[in-house]
């Protein structure tokens, strides 16, 4: 074993504000914050798990690695195809392994199936069906495997308790499995990942947050999120006990996670009213079947929310053909003549973008630059009914995204809304309205995760200014490996 082994613990959605709020109840996190290094870790744009963990593993921005997909928990399908080529052979554990360091990698997100490494890699399926993958296949497991990979199901009103209990059991089982491997195996670099906190925050935030518009009491558990932080604090303590003498511990998250947006800004409707997005309008156009379908969709969503029938609507929606296109309002947008349109690349969140269509602009006697400038100026002036600005910032893609082979996969204009607002693509609606899925998914991602370190090399972690793209180089530098 190296003189200074490094153990990296990933905790999806670990939030720095909540660590600080609850630190008196989190003795192991608190000790690292006081005696080691602690800071904020800036995520990718948008701050979602696929781009962020891929950047953590590879040191590349999404504009370079291309992993821009977001996770729609209301429309996850098993059997989805994963592009592991973005990570395979390029992750920090591969770099360390190529330099002779023995690695132990357990439950890495979006790195399935496992591939040959200088040591052991154990991966669970995420968004795909399949068994836990172990490399090398001859590796002797210490006992029954815990549930690994991503939990793609989401709870209904009837299964809230059982799903939370399952998240707890999975976390406890993974903790013991990880601890056993840390003690039994010979390693220089170990990496383990907990994914359950993100799931708990998405679905149980409103039960913790008394100011949430859909707050409700949840049985005897008044603090489901805080309780889960305490569970993970205990897991950190258990894994620390399993570390060899002289080891350095690094804990990090891919993004933060607090209240999800409770209101929507209907960006496509804003563009339509400015004549930049074409859709039927006025007179007989408003009676067309496509417009009536769009209005019916909006009405059904609103009715389901007010009747607390989201679970019923979700079950029915599974049988609707082309439901993603319906969600994006593809059926009513006149794509050939629209000069601009809101992108769905970041989901219903405060982070979004607008795509410009140069040919349509030129057919209308305008340049894309002129249309883009109009949108930039207009969005900066948008205010809600309270007179509060809705858009925090809006900029051309080139001012936000580093140059890279996949930079053009981003929309032409990028923006971040006030955290209380998310993007809607629907049309024929008022410009603002409630987020009609905030009861189903009440927690959402924020731009800053957490990074903590303890042990003899903890001081190597900068307390300020870290981005997820810095982590891979930080880890390999621990072993004296120069940047590639």
């Amino acid at each position: 074993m190296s003189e200074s082994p490094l153990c990296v613990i990933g905790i999806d959605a670990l939030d720095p504000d909540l660590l600080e709020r609850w630190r008196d109840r989190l003795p192991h996190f608190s000790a690292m914050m006081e005696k080691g290094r602690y800071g904020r870790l800036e995520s990718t744009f948008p701050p979602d798990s696929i781009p962020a963990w891929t950047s953590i593993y590879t040191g590349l921005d999404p504009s370079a690695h291309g992993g821009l997909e977001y996770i729609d928990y209301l429309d996850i399908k098993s059997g989805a195809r994963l592009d592991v080529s973005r990570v395979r052979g390029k992750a920090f554990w591969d770099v360390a392994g190529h330099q002779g360091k023995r690695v132990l990698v357990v439950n890495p997100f979006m790195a399935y199936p496992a591939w040959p490494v200088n040591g052991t890699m154990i991966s669970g399926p995420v968004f795909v069906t399949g068994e836990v993958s172990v490399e090398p296949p001859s590796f002797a497991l210490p006992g029954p495997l815990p549930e690994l990979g991503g939990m793609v199901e989401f709870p209904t009103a009837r299964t809230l308790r059982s799903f939370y209990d399952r998240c707890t059991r999975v976390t406890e089982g993974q903790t013991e499995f990880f601890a056993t491997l840390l003690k039994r195996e010979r390693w220089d670099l170990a990496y383990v990942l907990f994914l359950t906190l993100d799931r708990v925050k998405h679905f149980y935030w409103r039960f913790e947050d008394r100011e949430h518009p859909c707050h409700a009491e949840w049985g005897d558990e008044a603090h489901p999120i805080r309780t889960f932080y305490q569970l993970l604090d205990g897991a950190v303590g258990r894994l620390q006990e399993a570390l060899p003498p002289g080891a350095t511990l690094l804990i990090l998250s891919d993004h933060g996670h607090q209240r999800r947006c409770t209101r929507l800004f209907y960006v496509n409707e804003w563009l339509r009213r400015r004549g930049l997005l074409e859709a039927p309008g006025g007179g007989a156009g408003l009676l067309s079947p496509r417009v009536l379908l769009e209005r019916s969709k909006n009405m059904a969503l609103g009715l389901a929310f007010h009747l607390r029938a989201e679970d019923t609507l979700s079950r029915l929606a599974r049988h609707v053909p082309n439901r993603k296109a319906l969600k994006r309002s593809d059926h009513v947008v006149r794509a050939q003549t629209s000069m601009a349109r809101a992108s769905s690349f970041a989901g219903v969140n405060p982070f979004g973008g607008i795509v410009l269509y140069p040919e349509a602009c030129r057919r209308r006697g305008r340049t894309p630059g002129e249309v883009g400038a109009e949108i930039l100026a207009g969005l900066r002036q948008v205010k809600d009914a309270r007179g509060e600005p809705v858009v925090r910032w809006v900029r051309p893609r080139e001012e936000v995204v580093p140059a890279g082979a996949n930079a053009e996969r981003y929309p032409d204009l990028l923006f971040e809304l006030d955290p209380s607002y998310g993007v809607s693509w629907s049309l024929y609606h008022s410009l603002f309205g409630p987020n009609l899925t905030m009861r189903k998914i009440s927690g959402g991602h924020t731009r800053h995760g957490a990074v903590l370190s303890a042990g003899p090399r903890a001081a190597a972690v900068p307390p300020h200014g870290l981005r997820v793209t810095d982590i891979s180089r930080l880890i390999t530098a621990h072993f004296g490996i120069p940047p590639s």
Side-chain angles (χ1 to χ4, degrees):
M1 184 172 291
S2 94
E3 293 182 357
S4 181
L6 174 64
C7 178
V8 182
I9 301 176
I11 302 179
D12 199 295
L14 187 70
D15 187 271
D17 291 329
L18 298 182
L19 284 176
E20 293 167 12
R21 183 188 307 174
W22 296 328
R23 63 186 301 169
D24 291 345
R25 299 174 180 268
L26 306 172
H28 298 102
F29 284 125
S30 181
M32 294 183 70
M33 295 166 75
E34 293 174 4
K35 301 176 183 178
R37 281 294 180 92
Y38 162 70
R40 291 170 181 257
L41 183 62
E42 186 176 353
S43 188
T44 53
F45 183 89
D48 204 45
S49 296
I50 293 176
W53 283 118
T54 306
S55 289
I56 288 170
Y57 296 160
T58 65
L60 300 175
D61 189 84
S63 61
H65 64 63
L68 289 177
E69 299 90 342
Y70 75 95
I71 302 169
D72 183 353
Y73 284 112
L74 294 178
D75 195 30
I76 288 176
K77 298 178 181 178
S78 62
R81 297 185 63 183
L82 302 179
D83 184 2
V84 298
S85 65
R86 298 166 182 156
V87 177
R88 181 170 180 151
K90 307 167 188 174
F92 59 75
W93 58 84
D94 293 309
V95 176
H98 293 157
Q99 296 296 317
K101 303 304 176 183
R102 190 164 182 84
V103 303
L104 173 65
V105 181
V106 186
N107 207 37
F109 182 72
M110 294 297 291
Y112 174 88
W115 54 80
V117 296
N118 185 32
T120 304
M121 182 172 175
I122 304 174
S123 298
V126 182
F127 315 133
V128 295
T129 56
E131 301 296 326
V132 172
S133 174
V134 181
E135 188 63 44
S138 59
F139 179 76
L141 295 168
L145 280 165
E147 185 174 345
L148 297 176
M151 298 169 59
V152 300
E153 305 86 359
F154 60 85
T156 66
R158 294 182 179 181
T159 61
L160 279 169
R161 168 53 65 184
S162 61
F163 187 86
Y164 187 91
D165 291 344
R166 179 185 167 199
C167 289
T168 299
R169 291 193 305 271
V170 167
T171 304
E172 292 172 340
Q174 290 176 348
T175 300
E176 291 308 310
F177 183 71
F178 296 162
T180 300
L181 290 176
L182 289 173
K183 288 190 294 186
R184 193 191 77 169
E185 297 302 307
R186 181 174 64 86
W187 52 270
D188 301 302
L189 169 63
Y191 170 64
V192 297
L193 175 61
F194 292 97
L195 293 166
T196 45
L197 177 63
D198 183 75
R199 305 309 310 282
V200 167
K201 282 185 168 181
H202 275 304
F203 303 121
Y204 299 88
W205 182 267
R206 69 187 181 94
F207 299 103
E208 179 87 32
D209 183 356
R210 292 189 173 275
E211 296 182 1
H212 192 279
C214 293
H215 172 72
E217 299 296 333
W218 182 50
D220 297 330
E221 180 55 84
H223 300 286
I225 309 298
R226 190 179 72 188
T227 297
F228 217 84
Y229 266 73
Q230 292 174 297
L231 173 69
L232 285 165
D233 183 79
V236 168
R238 178 75 179 90
L239 296 182
Q240 281 182 300
E241 294 173 354
L243 297 180
T248 296
L249 176 62
L250 177 66
I251 298 177
L252 55 90
S253 58
D254 53 336
H255 51 67
H257 197 134
Q258 297 195 31
R259 183 192 298 173
R260 192 177 187 231
C261 54
T262 57
R263 295 189 60 76
L264 296 178
F265 173 31
Y266 287 74
V267 180
N268 273 340
E269 177 64 13
W270 182 84
L271 292 169
R272 186 184 75 86
R273 294 184 186 187
R274 297 180 72 95
L276 300 173
L277 181 146
E278 289 287 316
L286 294 178
L287 298 177
S288 74
R290 295 174 182 269
V291 174
L292 293 176
L293 176 60
E294 179 73 358
R295 291 183 179 276
S296 298
K297 177 195 74 175
N298 295 335
M299 185 180 299
L301 290 170
L303 187 62
F305 177 76
H306 291 296
L307 295 179
R308 298 175 179 263
E310 295 98 333
D311 289 339
T312 300
L313 184 62
S314 180
R315 288 193 297 270
L316 293 174
R318 296 171 192 167
H319 304 289
V320 174
N322 300 318
R323 63 181 181 272
K324 283 190 175 181
L326 180 65
K327 183 177 181 179
R328 295 190 301 259
S329 301
D330 291 350
H331 60 286
V332 75
V333 174
R334 290 173 174 164
Q336 297 301 316
T337 55
S338 292
M339 292 185 284
R341 184 177 180 182
S343 170
S344 61
F345 90 112
V348 182
N349 292 295
F351 314 96
I354 293 176
V355 178
L356 302 177
Y357 297 100
E359 289 301 320
C361 293
R362 284 189 279 269
R363 284 195 296 268
R364 301 277 291 275
R366 306 187 65 182
T367 67
E370 291 171 343
V371 173
E374 177 185 337
I375 294 172
L376 291 172
L379 285 177
R380 289 168 181 152
Q381 300 302 316
V382 173
K383 295 184 178 180
D384 60 18
R386 302 166 298 177
E388 298 293 331
V390 172
V391 181
R392 274 190 167 182
W393 58 261
V394 55
R395 300 173 191 141
R397 175 179 62 212
E398 294 74 18
E399 295 183 12
V400 181
V401 178
N406 291 281
E408 291 190 359
R409 292 187 59 197
Y410 283 88
D412 298 279
L413 307 177
L414 297 173
F415 59 78
E416 181 178 350
L417 305 179
D418 179 273
S420 62
Y421 280 93
V423 175
S424 175
W425 313 291
S426 293
L427 293 167
Y428 308 107
H429 195 286
S430 58
L431 290 183
F432 310 109
N435 180 357
L436 300 177
T437 62
M438 64 178 163
R439 189 178 289 114
K440 288 286 290 181
I441 305 179
S442 54
H445 300 172
T446 60
R447 283 292 298 273
H448 288 89
V451 58
L452 307 96
S453 188
R457 299 288 298 279
V461 178
H464 307 292
L466 268 181
R467 296 173 54 87
V468 290
T469 49
D470 298 324
I471 295 300
S472 178
R473 289 184 289 274
L474 187 69
I475 291 171
T476 53
H478 177 91
F479 298 103
I481 301 171
S484 56

